[in-house]
Amino acid sequence: MADDTLNDVLIDRLRSFLSKPNENLDGIRSAAARLHSRCASQDKATRERTLERVWRRHDGAIPLVLSLLESVRDQVTCCSLAGILHECVSPRAVKYRSPALSQLTSLNATQLIIKLLMQLSGKESQISDMLLYELVWIIAQLSQKDSKFSVKVRLTGSARTFHNILRLHYNNPKLLYPLLIVFKSLSRNVTTSTVLVKDGIVSTMEKVIVSIGYSPSPKLRLSLNVMHSLTRSSMFLYKLPNYINFFFSVLIYVKYIKLIYFIELCCTKMAKEDFVPLLLRIFERWERYNGKMRLRILTYTIITLKHLSNTKIGRKAIKSSNGLNLLYKFCVLCPNDRTYDSLLPRVASIIGTCMDKKVLPIDTTGPVLFSLPVLKTENSDTSDNTTGSGMRTSSSRETTPSADGSVAESFDNNDDDDDDASDKTQESDAGHGPYAIPPPILRDMDDLCQYAAFFQENVVTSNQEARTFEEKCIPRAKSYQEFGTHGCDSLGEHRDYWLINDRDGLRSDSYLGSCHLQHQEPSNDENSFWQKEVERRLNNYMRTVRSHSSCSCYDVYKREMTWKASSDPAMNSNLQNSLHMMGLTILSDIPKHSSVHYAYCAIASKVNTVYPVVKVAYPDMVGGDGSGQLYPLHIKDRKVCRAKLMTSVERAVHPHLLLDRVVYDLDGLIQQDAIAKGNDSGEKHLYNIDERRVGHRDLLKHHLLFESRFESGNLRKVVQIGLHEYELILLPDVNSVKHHQWFYFEVSNMEANVTYTFNIVNCEKQNSQFNYGMKPIMYSVIEAKEGRPGWVRAGSDICYYRNNYQNLHGRSRSWYLTTSFSMTFPHDNDVCYIAYHFPYPYSLLMTQIWKWSLSVDPSLIYFRTDCLCYSLNNNETPLLTITSPDMESNRIKDREVVFLTARVHPGESNASWVMHGTIQYLLSNAPAAIMVRNKFVFKIVPMLNMEGVINGCHRCGLSDEDLNRRWSRPNQYLHPVIYHSKGLIEYCARIMNKAPFMFCDYHGHSRRKNVFLYGCCNAGSWNQVDRSNSDDPVDYLMLPYLMQHFSKAFNLQACNFRVERMREATARVTIWREFGVKRSYTMESSFCGCDQGFYQGYHLDTIHLKEIGANFCEAMACLKDEGGWKADITPEEAARLAGLTSKEQLDESPPMSEISDNSDFSSDEDFH
């Protein structure tokens, strides 16, 4: 009872001094000291009774102490008052601590003590250590209770004050612990932690950890907690400093590490001899290393650990030595420096390798397989050009026979037609002698005569004769079993016209030296020649354009056609019917006046697919164009990529944290459809009702709805892993287990202004333009209804990185990669489509052909469409013929032939848009279009791999083979489109005795920007015989120079004219070598955009891709007077150009692999 009375007396005495505290310092000091001694008494009963009296809310003791603490200026008195509060919130005051903290928080004690610390720290006189200790202890306890502590620190601007205190007292063991508690709270707030990092907290924390030591302790735990929280700050990694120098003994060990890096066979021995713990101890102290030495040590150590992780004993040693935790810590604290970015994927790779195998939640095979023809030995002959002994040809998963019969390297990683990887065996192969390249297998002359039907513009004189000619000669097989059964006996009276006396055709030895040059940087003299020559041709071109404009572009045609029609009435009849789609039955029953929507749905309903199709995609039905706007390239946020990489590792470690809800499963849908339909084989009728679906929500499902059962769609499975996050698994190519890159799917049931994250988790390429500015595209049906149709570039937080799903079908212990992006949809309950690039499906091509056929004036343009052949799944292959009508002064049979092809790789939809621009321009009334139609006959196969396009494949067709590696020996039954396309060219070269003037295969490039050409030259060939023969560089260099002038997206410096051995089976090299076509090109256009020229920093839209196709025609218009400008070249100029072919200059040019993009976060290995 006496104790309670004394406590009351002391509190009342303090209250009496409250009005004038600084005038009664002695009385306040005495009362506060006595009350503090009782609160901190060793007698438990006295202490508890005093604390109970102080914290009681209705007595107002705590507000009294706070008021005195705020007003008193004496540090001794303040120390006693702060001590009272300290004892109230001390952990040993278990019973009273929580109510005391609540009362202090409600009384704004946090701000009061922060301001007091700022005032005392700002004075010239130093604050006493005891007062500082008491105040910091109080604020440390309040920081854990006050939810707005960091906000109050930010508002008072006291973050730097706390940092100054820590900087001055980091070696004070008594004060350090409460300070670390304060910083633990501050580091969890983005704003305060950013301020601290800018103020140098990292170097201070380094001193703190060094002073604490590496022995486990609560202070060390708090320090690491603070460091972990600070890594979330946007400034931390940037400010991470260099640490102390490493010891000389470690330098010796680093040399040993470098040695064993090159000796992989030592990995097992190292693991057995306990080298792994030693490596991990070195790695554990990486922060202490300084400058370049740190990066060097880390690189050697991580690469060695990576090699060790490839062995079972090495993985076991890493896990038993706590290596996974150390590696994870490195990922968290790795400096925000680009030089370290290549280390992060390797560290993640080690973690993933050491963990248990994780595979995709799908079957290893595709949901549907396509039955291929089984080829028997007795049914194969020389004309079949099979690649094997009669059995099924090797797939792209296997190896491709090389020219000399040996096995060349696999083409699995050659993701583009002529990608940048150089052939490392180039020089060694050259020494095999002049017969390293076998002569081409020539088809029988009688067999080639079947292609006369596709050149009927040269000989047909009546409409009836045209129909008879086509019916007899066109290879109209109803299935692949019937290909090749049509000979040339039915040619009748036209046979003698086509056959030539030389039955042997071109001699095989003429193919060994018909090559051309790798482009070099021209000298000043050479630049002057090119500049003069291009300017001269452009001036001639402009004079022709002006003359056409002044006299009406059509006068010449009208005069010629009027004369022709009057002299030959049958010709007039033929002109009026020349645009009929006689060979395309899929278009035969579509009425002329049908709407485009109806025509598209009617065509799509007739397309044969491998995967089930339930609808047509809305963007394709309405035209498929982009918005026409210039969208800037995405600026990659490396911090986002780091976060995504770390999230991937964390999810692999803690898979139970994922939601794991399957929301779309194509395999299950196919099984359900098969059960529902049974034996129903009725005709399908596809349509689209998206405009009626928008605005309606599925109330039973609280997640996004997905669909991809439409042409070119390829979504296989979707798993919801978070509230608004989904993992997407793509379909492989048909009859394959790989080739995942192209994606095209529909999303609905969304909420507006909600960020959804999509992770496509089974990508295979080791690099992607998603890491270099590319965005996916999105199409909104509501936006289209409101008058803003078109694909738009969309997405944020875009990153491409390696995940922890093991690729069972790749090389040993390889992993898939993730394309991750976030999207915010503009409307509620919209129907949106998301794609890798602007889709251009087979039905859209056929619809465009139907539209072109109705719009072309046959009196001005000769436009014919034929069915070249049927694909493996009985879909028609369109062949377009475009030229000017036959005129007395310009006969069609005298014109040069140009062959254009596209879309041999179905995922390269940009190639179709470029081809669309070429065809559209050729059918236009532009002066340059008239000029090229007058000069050339264009034979165009706009879609070489329609089966892959239809079924959403990326690389291959139904035979699981890269068709651009089958041109040298295509199989009539497995590769019908390639077989007959090559047959057309061979017919032109051997039967018509007219090698094509030009061949160009349109492609898309997934790893480079801009537009560029690949060509062929002798000096750039891997073959010794090719290099011994000279060629004229003007032949193949002039078109790239002209393209640079006409096309804003073209990059001349990216053009390449090497002929590599591994490219011998591609269209470009095969046509150049076997048929002597000097201008044999591959034109590559980027999926992404441009990094130079007019479009630098922007994506390419469909309007720009079509513009490139038109620019190609304009450049060709300047080549039409070849005989004239070649005659003008002086011997000196010719000598200078020939000098470009010298081997010395060719060797000086950097290989294209040196300038290819390297991913920062995409792979654990360097990308080539």
Side-chain angles (χ1 to χ4, degrees):
M1 196 66 176
D3 290 339
D4 292 337
T5 303
L6 181 58
N7 291 332
D8 291 337
V9 170
L10 292 174
I11 291 173
D12 290 340
R13 188 175 182 185
L14 288 173
R15 187 174 288 110
S16 65
F17 299 135
L18 183 60
S19 59
K20 296 181 180 180
N22 292 312
E23 296 179 3
N24 301 284
L25 286 178
D26 292 338
I28 295 177
R29 182 184 300 169
S30 174
R34 294 190 61 182
L35 186 59
H36 177 216
S37 65
R38 293 183 62 82
C39 289
S41 174
Q42 297 297 324
D43 183 12
K44 183 177 180 180
T46 302
R47 184 177 68 251
E48 289 183 352
R49 283 195 295 268
T50 305
L51 291 175
E52 181 182 5
R53 175 67 181 82
V54 171
W55 73 260
R56 282 187 301 193
R57 185 179 296 270
H58 63 277
D59 290 338
I62 289 182
L64 172 65
V65 174
L66 285 175
S67 299
L68 290 172
L69 188 62
E70 184 179 13
S71 55
V72 171
R73 298 292 181 264
D74 178 61
Q75 289 196 16
V76 176
T77 305
C78 287
C79 187
S80 298
L81 293 172
I84 297 171
L85 297 177
H86 175 193
E87 294 299 329
C88 289
V89 299
S90 175
R92 68 176 181 173
V94 179
K95 183 178 178 179
Y96 314 104
R97 181 173 181 270
S98 180
L101 284 172
S102 299
Q103 191 174 171
L104 286 171
T105 302
S106 63
L107 294 172
N108 293 324
T110 303
Q111 293 97 314
L112 188 151
I113 296 175
I114 289 175
K115 291 179 180 179
L116 183 60
L117 278 171
M118 294 177 69
Q119 292 172 3
L120 294 174
S121 300
K123 290 184 176 181
E124 295 182 1
S125 57
Q126 295 293 326
I127 184 175
S128 66
D129 290 343
M130 184 56 66
L131 176 58
L132 180 62
Y133 171 75
E134 299 291 357
L135 292 176
V136 170
W137 249 112
I138 298 170
I139 205 69
Q141 302 305 315
L142 287 173
S143 68
Q144 300 176 83
K145 181 69 174 179
D146 193 346
S147 61
K148 296 183 179 180
F149 174 75
S150 297
V151 177
K152 294 174 181 178
V153 170
R154 176 174 60 84
L155 293 176
T156 56
S158 56
R160 289 186 175 87
T161 300
F162 285 109
H163 184 207
N164 289 333
I165 295 173
L166 179 63
R167 187 183 291 118
L168 294 172
H169 301 279
Y170 71 89
N171 56 357
N172 186 334
K174 187 176 181 181
L175 192 59
L176 182 58
Y177 188 79
L179 280 173
L180 289 175
I181 294 176
V182 173
F183 279 92
K184 177 183 175 181
S185 299
L186 293 178
S187 63
R188 292 179 176 178
N189 181 272
V190 176
T191 304
T192 54
S193 62
T194 302
V195 172
L196 290 171
V197 170
K198 289 181 178 179
D199 199 41
I201 187 63
V202 177
S203 60
T204 304
M205 288 303 301
E206 178 199 358
K207 297 176 181 178
V208 169
I209 294 175
V210 171
S211 67
I212 293 173
Y214 295 98
S215 300
S217 65
K219 294 177 183 177
L220 179 60
R221 177 181 57 83
L222 274 176
S223 300
L224 296 176
N225 197 329
V226 171
M227 294 290 285
H228 170 72
S229 300
L230 283 174
T231 57
R232 301 175 184 175
S233 167
S234 61
M235 297 294 296
F236 172 75
L237 294 174
Y238 179 76
K239 292 286 185 178
L240 200 64
N242 295 327
Y243 293 95
I244 58 177
N245 293 326
F246 196 56
F247 302 103
F248 177 76
S249 58
V250 176
L251 295 177
I252 300 176
Y253 185 74
V254 167
K255 293 182 179 179
Y256 178 67
I257 294 296
K258 186 176 180 180
L259 175 62
I260 63 174
Y261 164 59
F262 294 101
I263 311 174
E264 296 188 26
L265 295 178
C266 294
C267 291
T268 303
K269 183 178 180 181
M270 290 177 62
K272 290 181 178 179
E273 294 183 2
D274 292 332
F275 273 74
V276 172
L278 179 58
L279 286 174
L280 292 175
R281 282 198 297 272
I282 295 175
F283 181 77
E284 183 180 9
R285 292 167 171 79
W286 66 272
E287 294 170 298
R288 297 187 177 186
Y289 312 152
N290 189 29
K292 293 182 179 179
M293 180 57 64
R294 178 201 296 177
L295 182 62
R296 191 175 304 162
I297 293 172
L298 283 174
T299 301
Y300 296 151
T301 306
I302 291 173
I303 291 178
T304 305
L305 288 172
K306 177 68 175 65
H307 290 162
L308 286 168
S309 67
N310 291 327
T311 64
K312 184 176 181 180
I313 189 172
R315 293 191 293 271
K316 183 178 179 181
I318 291 173
K319 290 190 286 187
S320 62
S321 302
N322 198 33
L324 295 181
N325 291 335
L326 294 177
L327 295 169
Y328 179 80
K329 178 184 175 182
F330 170 79
C331 294
V332 174
L333 301 178
C334 182
N336 188 17
D337 190 330
R338 189 170 295 275
T339 57
Y340 291 85
D341 289 343
S342 61
L343 301 181
L344 281 176
R346 289 191 172 99
V347 173
S349 172
I350 298 171
I351 296 174
T353 305
C354 293
M355 296 177 60
D356 294 335
K357 183 172 63 177
K358 183 179 181 182
V359 298
L360 293 172
I362 54 173
D363 292 336
T364 55
T365 59
V368 177
L369 296 178
F370 181 80
S371 298
L372 295 171
V374 179
L375 306 183
K376 298 180 181 179
T377 305
E378 59 268 24
N379 292 336
S380 63
D381 53 33
T382 304
S383 65
D384 288 340
N385 292 325
T386 56
T387 57
S389 60
M391 301 305 290
R392 177 183 170 183
T393 53
S394 60
S395 72
S396 60
R397 293 193 303 266
E398 302 163 347
T399 57
T400 301
S402 64
D404 59 357
S406 62
V407 176
E409 59 182 287
S410 174
F411 297 112
D412 290 350
N413 295 325
N414 301 334
D415 17 297
D416 300 289
D417 159 65
D418 284 83
D419 55 26
D420 303 330
S422 57
D423 190 355
K424 306 206 182 300
T425 62
Q426 179 173 330
E427 292 302 324
S428 61
D429 291 337
H432 289 183
Y435 301 104
I437 303 175
I441 299 177
L442 302 178
R443 290 171 61 176
D444 185 82
M445 300 289 278
D446 291 340
D447 182 37
L448 288 177
C449 288
Q450 64 179 297
Y451 299 108
F454 303 111
F455 293 88
Q456 57 183 284
E457 65 273 5
N458 293 326
V459 296
V460 174
T461 58
S462 70
N463 191 35
Q464 178 63 31
E465 200 171 337
R467 286 195 296 269
T468 304
F469 193 75
E470 182 192 45
E471 290 169 1
K472 291 182 178 181
C473 300
I474 190 170
R476 186 177 293 284
K478 296 303 181 184
S479 64
Y480 48 77
Q481 290 88 348
E482 301 178 27
F483 282 134
T485 60
H486 304 282
C488 66
D489 295 337
S490 58
L491 287 177
E493 61 181 311
H494 300 288
R495 176 169 181 170
D496 293 337
Y497 181 89
W498 294 109
L499 297 184
I500 58 177
N501 293 328
D502 183 9
R503 299 286 294 181
D504 295 330
L506 301 174
R507 296 195 307 273
S508 60
D509 58 357
S510 66
Y511 303 129
L512 297 179
S514 53
C515 313
H516 315 287
L517 163 77
Q518 158 76 28
H519 170 62
Q520 303 295 319
E521 282 296 319
S523 64
N524 292 334
D525 291 340
E526 293 153 4
N527 270 324
S528 63
F529 165 76
W530 286 113
Q531 184 176 2
K532 290 188 296 182
E533 184 57 36
V534 170
E535 288 179 357
R536 188 183 68 79
R537 269 188 249 185
L538 292 176
N539 291 334
N540 293 339
Y541 166 74
M542 292 307 298
R543 283 197 296 271
T544 305
V545 170
R546 286 193 293 270
S547 65
H548 282 170
S549 301
S550 61
C551 66
S552 175
C553 298
Y554 312 112
D555 288 347
V556 136
Y557 292 101
K558 288 180 179 179
R559 288 195 298 268
E560 291 284 354
M561 298 318 300
T562 300
W563 174 87
K564 192 70 178 177
S566 62
S567 61
D568 189 354
M571 180 62 184
N572 186 38
S573 174
N574 181 53
L575 287 172
Q576 298 303 322
N577 295 278
S578 63
L579 60 83
H580 289 175
M581 285 93 37
M582 293 179 291
L584 299 177
T585 57
I586 195 172
L587 306 179
S588 59
D589 58 350
I590 300 177
K592 277 185 180 180
H593 303 292
S594 301
S595 67
V596 176
H597 292 188
Y598 171 83
Y600 184 91
C601 293
I603 292 169
S605 299
K606 298 177 184 179
V607 174
N608 299 317
T609 64
V610 175
Y611 296 115
V613 175
V614 299
K615 62 178 292 187
V616 297
Y618 184 88
D620 305 331
M621 184 183 68
V622 299
D625 280 287
S627 63
Q629 301 180 23
L630 275 175
Y631 290 94
L633 298 178
H634 174 69
I635 299 176
K636 178 180 174 181
D637 190 342
R638 297 171 57 252
K639 295 166 190 169
V640 169
C641 293
R642 284 175 177 266
K644 287 180 180 286
L645 191 64
M646 285 303 305
T647 301
S648 176
V649 174
E650 289 174 358
R651 286 174 175 170
V653 177
H654 307 291
H656 59 279
L657 300 178
L658 301 178
L659 186 57
D660 200 23
R661 176 194 297 162
V662 177
V663 297
Y664 180 81
D665 185 8
L666 180 63
D667 298 49
L669 291 174
I670 291 175
Q671 295 177 3
Q672 293 174 13
D673 291 344
I675 296 173
K677 291 181 179 179
N679 296 325
D680 181 17
S681 58
E683 185 179 355
K684 62 180 180 180
H685 297 281
L686 301 178
Y687 52 89
N688 184 282
I689 57 171
D690 287 349
E691 291 187 358
R692 284 183 277 170
R693 290 172 55 203
V694 297
H696 300 283
R697 186 174 186 82
D698 190 338
L699 299 178
L700 299 179
K701 297 181 179 178
H702 304 287
H703 55 76
L704 293 179
L705 301 180
F706 294 82
E707 182 59 86
S708 70
R709 288 175 294 171
F710 46 79
E711 197 171 325
S712 295
N714 72 333
L715 192 59
R716 184 172 188 180
K717 194 169 188 176
V718 180
V719 180
Q720 185 179 12
I721 60 173
L723 183 60
H724 298 119
E725 188 169 2
Y726 299 84
E727 281 190 351
L728 285 66
I729 301 174
L730 305 179
L731 279 167
D733 287 1
V734 179
N735 286 355
S736 177
V737 293
K738 58 181 183 177
H739 303 304
H740 310 88
Q741 177 173 316
W742 166 263
F743 57 85
Y744 186 19
F745 56 90
E746 172 201 296
V747 178
S748 59
N749 213 45
M750 71 281 290
E751 298 178 21
N753 302 319
V754 173
T755 301
Y756 295 91
T757 300
F758 301 93
N759 302 316
I760 301 174
V761 296
N762 62 333
C763 301
E764 293 173 319
K765 290 193 175 183
Q766 299 301 306
N767 200 357
S768 172
Q769 280 295 313
F770 283 122
N771 269 339
Y772 299 96
M774 179 175 166
K775 287 185 175 183
I777 58 173
M778 188 263 290
Y779 193 104
S780 167
V781 175
I782 291 181
E783 288 288 301
K785 287 182 64 179
E786 294 178 353
R788 297 180 296 274
W791 290 97
V792 298
R793 294 285 179 175
S796 60
D797 295 347
I798 302 170
C799 191
Y800 189 84
Y801 58 94
R802 208 209 79 165
N803 58 43
N804 293 291
Y805 287 110
Q806 188 169 358
N807 184 358
L808 300 178
H809 309 288
R811 51 191 170 83
S812 178
R813 298 194 70 84
S814 62
W815 278 261
Y816 287 109
L817 293 97
T818 296
T819 297
S820 179
F821 55 89
S822 300
M823 281 206 179
T824 303
F825 299 101
H827 303 284
D828 280 323
N829 305 318
D830 195 358
V831 177
C832 293
Y833 293 80
I834 299 173
Y836 179 81
H837 196 70
F838 305 101
Y840 201 102
Y842 175 75
S843 296
L844 179 58
L845 170 64
M846 289 303 198
T847 304
Q848 290 294 343
I849 292 175
W850 175 76
K851 290 169 60 179
W852 287 325
S853 69
L854 298 177
S855 62
V856 169
D857 184 353
S859 66
L860 302 175
I861 302 174
Y862 184 95
F863 176 63
R864 191 180 77 251
T865 61
D866 298 296
C867 174
L868 175 63
C869 62
Y870 281 77
S871 66
L872 288 177
N873 203 21
N874 284 322
N875 289 301
E876 295 174 298
T877 303
L879 169 67
L880 309 183
T881 302
I882 302 175
T883 188
S884 295
D886 199 16
M887 296 175 285
E888 181 66 19
S889 60
N890 183 15
R891 306 305 298 267
I892 291 179
K893 67 179 181 180
D894 297 328
R895 299 172 191 169
E896 300 280 3
V897 180
V898 173
F899 280 88
L900 303 178
T901 60
R903 210 67 184 277
V904 69
H905 296 142
E908 297 170 3
S909 59
N910 46 354
S912 283
W913 284 106
V914 176
M915 180 61 77
H916 180 113
T918 296
I919 298 172
Q920 185 172 271
Y921 191 81
L922 289 175
L923 297 176
S924 71
N925 299 325
I930 297 173
M931 293 166 64
V932 294
R933 290 199 303 264
N934 279 339
K935 177 65 177 178
F936 304 113
V937 176
F938 289 89
K939 295 292 183 180
I940 302 174
V941 183
M943 194 168 284
L944 290 169
N945 192 348
M946 72 286 301
E947 292 300 341
V949 173
I950 291 168
N951 295 287
C953 300
H954 166 64
R955 183 76 176 175
C956 302
L958 300 185
S959 63
D960 187 23
E961 296 171 284
D962 184 347
L963 296 183
N964 200 39
R965 299 299 188 270
R966 292 296 177 263
W967 276 84
S968 61
R969 281 162 175 74
N971 184 281
Q972 179 180 359
Y973 305 104
L974 294 177
H975 325 119
V977 182
I978 304 300
Y979 179 83
H980 290 293
S981 298
K982 184 180 179 183
L984 278 178
I985 301 174
E986 188 172 353
Y987 174 88
C988 185
R990 297 180 60 205
I991 304 298
M992 296 176 60
N993 201 23
K994 182 194 295 184
F997 177 81
M998 180 185 295
F999 171 84
C1000 189
D1001 190 18
Y1002 291 11
H1003 280 257
H1005 209 290
S1006 65
R1007 298 176 306 175
R1008 303 187 69 187
K1009 294 181 174 65
N1010 312 306
V1011 179
F1012 48 93
L1013 287 169
Y1014 291 125
C1016 302
C1017 71
N1018 283 347
S1021 175
W1022 64 274
N1023 183 263
Q1024 182 178 349
V1025 175
D1026 294 338
R1027 295 197 299 270
S1028 64
N1029 296 317
S1030 61
D1031 51 14
D1032 189 350
V1034 178
D1035 289 332
Y1036 51 87
L1037 289 179
M1038 184 56 71
L1039 181 68
Y1041 271 85
L1042 291 169
M1043 278 294 291
Q1044 185 183 36
H1045 171 81
F1046 284 105
S1047 178
K1048 301 174 183 177
F1050 193 81
N1051 183 10
L1052 181 64
Q1053 304 305 319
C1055 295
N1056 189 296
F1057 298 89
R1058 290 182 182 270
V1059 179
E1060 298 168 321
R1061 181 169 184 173
M1062 61 189 300
R1063 309 284 181 237
E1064 282 293 329
T1066 62
R1068 169 180 63 96
V1069 179
T1070 298
I1071 303 304
W1072 169 77
R1073 185 175 297 284
E1074 295 189 10
F1075 306 118
V1077 179
K1078 298 174 292 186
R1079 301 171 192 84
S1080 183
Y1081 300 105
T1082 294
M1083 183 161 65
E1084 300 274 2
S1085 55
S1086 174
F1087 285 105
C1088 181
C1090 298
D1091 58 9
Q1092 56 87 44
F1094 182 82
Y1095 297 129
Q1096 182 177 3
Y1098 290 93
H1099 287 92
L1100 292 175
D1101 198 80
T1102 57
I1103 189 173
H1104 309 121
L1105 295 172
K1106 289 188 284 188
E1107 179 186 70
I1108 293 165
N1111 298 149
F1112 185 81
C1113 299
E1114 293 176 313
M1116 285 192 62
C1118 294
L1119 293 175
K1120 73 182 188 69
D1121 57 340
E1122 177 184 16
W1125 56 258
K1126 274 198 170 184
D1128 294 338
I1129 299 178
T1130 64
E1132 292 77 12
E1133 290 172 335
R1136 282 198 302 271
L1137 289 173
L1140 288 172
T1141 64
S1142 66
K1143 184 178 183 300
E1144 292 76 11
Q1145 289 187 348
L1146 188 63
D1147 291 340
E1148 290 173 3
S1149 64
M1152 300 306 293
S1153 58
E1154 293 182 6
I1155 60 175
S1156 61
D1157 291 330
N1158 290 317
S1159 173
D1160 294 334
F1161 295 95
S1162 63
S1163 172
D1164 58 304
E1165 296 184 358
D1166 292 336
F1167 177 69
H1168 298 289

